Amino acid sequence: MCGIVGYIGNKEALPVLVSGLRRLEYRGYDSAGIAVVSGGRVHVRKAPGKIDALIQSIKQDPAPQSFLGIAHTRWATHGAPNKINSHPHLSCDKKISVVHNGIIENYMKLKNALIKEGHKFVSETDTEVLVHLIEKYYRGDLKAAVIAALRLVEGSFAIGVVSSDEPDKIVAARQDSPLIVAQGKDSYFIASDVPAILEHCRRVIYLKDRQVAVLSQGGVGIYDLNNRKVALKFDKVTMDAQCAQKDGFAHFMLKEIHEQPRVLKRLIAAGLKEITAFEFPKKISNVVVVACGTAYHAGLVGKYIIELLARLPVWVDLSSEFRYRDPIITKDTLVIAVSQSGETADTLAAAREAKKRGAKVISICNVVGSSLTRESNKVFYTLAGPEIGVASTKAYTAQLAVFYMLGLRLAFSRKMISAKAYAGYLKTLGRIPSMQEEILRSKEAIAAVAKRHHNFGSFLFLGRNINFPSALEGALKLKEISYIPAEGYAAGEMKHGPIALIDEYRAVVCIAVDSEIYSKMVSNIQEIKARSGRLIAIASDGNTSIKAYVPEVIRVPKCDEFFSPLLVALPLQMLAYYIAVQRGCNVDQPRNLAKSVTVE
Ligand code: AGP
């Protein structure tokens, strides 16, 4: 996810653009850039790193005064976060410049065709295709050229476009990525999000999908992709800037919990193509997953997925253990390193150790160009956008989704599942985002359960089979943001120790979704009930029997147990979140923790 800003008005554009970028830095901070139009030319300044690096670069090489410009702060999805890949991008004749937030899914096909027509590309990004397409169709009407280009594009975009041939105009458009148009005093803006313009104005138009906006000193026009004019509908923004950065959510963590359906949709659309095109090593004797924390839990779910589908032995290791225990790795071992940040010291070291011993390393990572991605033979990005909350949420379910797609692909390529079964699994996976949305709609009920349990001194999370890792993850979410001691356990282990802990002061969260071994979980529940444990169950819609045993039931849509970790993760995240809020904890920045553990 990136941030874009555009300005046209009677003030110097540069300071307005830079301050707008600062307000959008939470959307991505790999690189930043601006393009202003002045003296019949487009002037671009850009730099890798945060916005301060861009300001330094502009100080060293000032851009001329201008009253019109576009700007971008990048979250890399295609192409490393370096200067050449940063936005804005320029056409061959340097007369048109584009900033973009989103993913152009058919960019390779478009790029190859444009190269054949003589266009010269300089970056690895998908975005650069847009500026060359617009150049190809430009015949003196920037809006018409943008429309012609966008009609060929598949994927998501929010774009800002300027041209030195039309120095009084910004053209903008969106599809599946947010973009607003705002009207200030003698000025107009485009922005990915409200915070970028709040210091200037509060009169905005929320652009709709497949709409094009044309901003000039004289005003703004909105068109559809058939070039038909659309009536302007201004709204008034009421929220304050700080709140707006979180899209109106109280914390980044809650915002990121709510982003999961959208992340999953985007990931399935873009990730599946990448995974389908991937050639697995011919001979794989076993799979080893190395990761830490939440990523480790994702790896544990990955074990169930790959072993069930591809019938390959998978062992999942904490990176900090793997790296020091002289692991048995051969050239036929496929190692999968999982890391949201791509900078976790132990996982980096584990990946290096595995490569040293001859293994191929695949990484599942969220940050493009991070250290781990540079150590891997192949990277599958989770495309979850920046995860600001220290407690990992959307990155976790995105990691799971990559494991499902990888496991399915591996099983199909090893002829362990038929094409029909493969298609059936993918169809079920495609329905998960809407099921997640249904769970998010029950957040008040989950908040009420949290309120009734926020004073418990300790929690036990129980799961079975593919949801044993879900129990571990639920316990980690709670302990790291509420500081309540919490343990995750395989429910079958109850009688081997944990049952000694059960009394009326212990809250026990049981993951009791429909499954072939649901009755085993019911037995655990009855044992806990008999010892006055305070029970909370996560159960499937339509399960009417559970209420007889458990007073507090959080529902998830009925789905194949195999995919249920993608659903149960959400109530576990929200339970932890609302309990931590009730206890007045710093949810986004819990004590003693960091978003990325770059030291041992
Ligand atoms: C998860 O909520 C924690 N913040 C932590 O366990 C995290 O998952 C772990 O540090 C691994 O980080 P990584 O995914 O960036 O490697």
Side-chain angles (χ1 to χ4, degrees), residues 93 136 201 287 336 509:
D93 65 7
K136 169 181 174 178
C201 59
V287 177
I336 303 176
V509 179

Side-chain angles (χ1 to χ4, degrees), residues 305 309 403-413 417 421-422 425-426 429 562-563:
I305 294 168
L309 291 173
F403 269 114
Y404 280 108
M405 292 189 282
L406 270 180
L408 285 166
R409 186 70 198 160
L410 197 51
F412 181 63
S413 62
I417 59 172
Y422 186 25
Y425 278 114
L426 291 179
L429 181 61
F562 179 66
F563 285 105

Side-chain angles (χ1 to χ4, degrees), residues 292-295 338-342 344 390-392 399 476-477 480 597:
C292 300
T294 287
V338 189
S339 174
Q340 188 284 131
S341 63
T344 297
V390 164
S392 188
Q399 289 159 359
L476 174 59
K477 284 288 95 50
E480 69 174 322
V597 182

Side-chain angles (χ1 to χ4, degrees), residues 253 291-297 319 338-345 347-348 364-367 372 387 389-393 395-396 399 473 476-477 480-481 590 593-597:
M253 182 180 174
C292 300
T294 287
Y296 170 72
H297 299 149
S319 302
V338 189
S339 174
Q340 188 284 131
S341 63
E343 301 299 344
T344 297
T347 303
L348 261 179
I364 299 175
C365 192
N366 196 37
V367 180
L372 178 63
E387 188 174 66
V390 164
S392 188
T393 51
Y396 171 66
Q399 289 159 359
E473 176 58 11
L476 174 59
K477 284 288 95 50
E480 69 174 322
I481 62 173
L593 287 172
K595 186 58 189 171
S596 176
V597 182

Side-chain angles (χ1 to χ4, degrees), residues 274-282 284 362 378 380 409 413:
E274 180 93 17
I275 289 171
T276 306
F278 177 61
E279 283 299 318
F280 284 97
K282 287 279 170 287
I284 303 173
I362 288 178
K378 172 69 184 170
F380 292 107
R409 186 70 198 160
S413 62

Side-chain angles (χ1 to χ4, degrees), residues 251-268:
H251 298 95
F252 278 112
M253 182 180 174
L254 189 59
K255 172 173 176 273
E256 288 152 9
I257 288 172
H258 282 75
E259 285 181 342
Q260 291 178 101
R262 194 167 64 231
V263 166
L264 207 47
K265 268 184 217 143
R266 181 170 60 215
L267 181 55
I268 293 170

